[in-house]
Amino acid sequence: MCAGPTWAALSLTGATADSKPPSTAACSYTATGGATAGAKAGATALPVHDPAQVRPYTAELATDQGKVVIEAFTEAAPCSTTSFAFLAGKRYFDGGACHRLTTSGIFVLECGDPAGLGTADPGCFFPDENLDGAAYPAGTVAMSKAVPGRNGSQFFITYADPALRMPPDWTPFARVVSGLDLLRTIAANGTADGSTDGRPKRPVVIRSVTVHPAGRG
């Protein structure tokens, strides 16, 4: 299962960028045999990564609170960005509520489970990548997971620089290019139960995720 990262005693420095050499390893997507949302994602289908077809892209996350646009690190994180685009094309994310907000130490909004529970399995998983020197400043989009090397559909977006040190354990695969102020407004509303780690008080539902080739709106 893919669930939220463990935030205990974490911090982070540096900047995230798609400036690292592209991975030469083939992308491997392993079927889980029983997706929790398989009927929506297509449990029998797996992403296919073709290095010859890799192109930079942006993705627009249209939520009921507004839009967030991210730029994918297609070279530095080819397996993650291929999977994200694949799931977006399957409309896997549509209608899913972001299930986690943290407001102390690590400042993230976590999404990617269509059921909004933080336990989604899209029907496959893939290994970590782009971890060498990985950092998570404000605007970073990274894969969320509960088990090392088992990434699925869930991801988090940092809306502020973290106050604690965060080890390079979560694959950074994109950065926010528009909508960071919206994320900060969502965070300012706090969590539903008033804690520093819980469901957003003001629900955030992803209506659609649309992938655009870089340079096109």
Side-chain angles (χ1 to χ4, degrees):
M1 289 290 184
C2 304
T6 300
W7 301 119
L10 306 178
S11 89
L12 123 95
T13 58
T16 305
D18 193 20
S19 59
K20 300 174 186 176
S23 172
T24 57
C27 294
S28 173
Y29 302 100
T30 303
T32 60
T36 58
K40 185 172 184 179
T44 60
L46 297 177
V48 176
H49 175 71
D50 181 354
Q53 298 299 316
V54 170
R55 299 290 185 275
Y57 71 79
T58 60
E60 180 183 283
L61 284 64
T63 81
D64 59 349
Q65 303 298 319
K67 295 180 181 179
V68 176
V69 179
I70 65 174
E71 179 182 56
F73 300 157
T74 50
E75 290 192 353
C79 305
S80 303
T81 53
T82 293
S83 174
F84 187 84
F86 170 80
L87 292 176
K90 291 284 187 179
R91 304 183 69 85
Y92 179 83
F93 300 112
D94 296 11
C98 296
H99 57 273
R100 189 179 190 190
L101 176 71
T102 61
T103 61
S104 178
I106 301 296
F107 306 104
V108 307
L109 178 68
E110 190 171 350
C111 314
D113 176 355
L117 301 175
T119 57
D121 173 356
C124 70
F125 66 89
F126 57 93
D128 301 321
E129 61 182 338
N130 196 29
L131 295 184
D132 186 19
Y136 311 87
T140 300
V141 188
M143 297 304 302
S144 177
K145 64 189 178 185
V147 179
R150 195 178 177 95
N151 301 288
S153 64
Q154 294 180 60
F155 60 93
F156 64 86
I157 307 175
T158 58
Y159 61 87
D161 292 340
L164 301 175
R165 190 175 196 293
M166 188 174 184
D169 291 340
W170 297 278
T171 295
F173 72 93
R175 68 182 183 94
V176 174
V177 294
S178 177
L180 194 56
D181 287 346
L182 170 65
L183 296 173
R184 289 170 175 159
T185 298
I186 291 169
N189 291 317
T191 63
D193 62 4
S195 69
T196 59
D197 187 346
R199 301 184 69 82
K201 182 176 181 179
R202 185 172 182 178
V204 183
V205 178
I206 296 177
R207 291 177 173 169
S208 65
V209 177
T210 307
V211 172
H212 302 284
R216 292 175 55 187

